[in-house]
Amino acid sequence: MVKVGDKVPHATLRGMGPEGPKPITTEELFAPGKKVVAFALPGAFTPTCSAKHVPGFVSEFDKIKAKGVDTIACISVNDAFVMGAWGKEQKAGDKVMMLGDGGAEFTNAMGLSMDLTKNGMGVRSQRYAMIVQDGVIKDLFVEKPGAFEVSAAENVLKHL
């Protein structure tokens, strides 16, 4: 598992653009000179993710941006189409970049995958949030299984 002080691992994520799925590498997302808050979760349209996790970052957008954050990104082991539809449903707009990690490339590189095959979901991401400056992880908040506390927007905001 990655830790504070590590560089964000290489992977290609996908977001929905006007013409369809658009690739973005972690080198682009977490580029030098950028401060990024990224949070990951088990799945789009799942209860805690939809009711609390994404809405928290949407509602705290102005406060987070005021702390010098360039981008807020939500990452999930879903495809870009699902993430795009979920972003619309969550009213993420230009506030939260909704990124799919369809093959769990990024999630596995981070060392933060979990196997939910027995629940019919396959390999998914653990719930976490991180603050990244110049491509380096400055803070990493990984939830205990089933919990939703440390990766919440309100907690991340306290550390910015």
Side-chain angles (χ1 to χ4, degrees):
M1 181 174 94
V2 295
K3 60 190 179 315
V4 170
D6 287 351
K7 207 165 169 32
V8 174
H10 168 76
T12 300
L13 301 165
R14 285 174 176 70
M16 277 306 284
E19 296 85 36
K22 182 178 184 284
I24 181 169
T25 66
T26 50
E27 288 82 5
E28 293 170 292
L29 181 60
F30 302 106
K34 287 180 97 180
K35 186 176 192 177
V36 179
V37 168
F39 64 103
L41 35 80
F45 296 103
T46 56
T48 301
C49 306
S50 290
K52 298 178 183 171
H53 214 169
V54 174
F57 282 96
V58 170
S59 68
E60 297 293 348
F61 172 79
D62 291 330
K63 291 178 188 170
I64 292 170
K65 290 292 275 191
K67 298 284 189 174
V69 171
D70 297 292
T71 305
I72 302 171
C74 173
I75 302 164
S76 183
V77 182
N78 290 109
D79 62 63
F81 295 99
V82 168
M83 292 301 284
W86 191 38
K88 283 181 183 160
E89 192 254 352
Q90 288 287 314
K91 298 177 178 46
D94 292 334
K95 295 180 177 183
V96 177
M97 184 183 279
M98 304 298 281
L99 298 171
D101 181 25
E105 174 192 5
F106 180 69
T107 299
N108 287 329
M110 290 285 289
L112 288 166
S113 64
M114 62 179 173
D115 189 349
L116 295 178
T117 303
K118 68 180 185 309
N119 299 343
M121 294 175 73
V123 172
R124 295 296 177 118
S125 177
Q126 292 181 48
R127 186 182 306 282
Y128 67 91
M130 62 182 173
I131 300 168
V132 179
Q133 179 77 52
D134 300 316
V136 177
I137 300 168
K138 296 298 180 195
D139 284 291
L140 179 63
F141 312 100
V142 181
E143 296 287 3
K144 293 182 175 95
F148 177 66
E149 296 163 4
V150 298
S151 68
E154 297 76 13
N155 185 59
V156 172
L157 193 52
K158 289 179 196 169
H159 291 85
L160 287 168

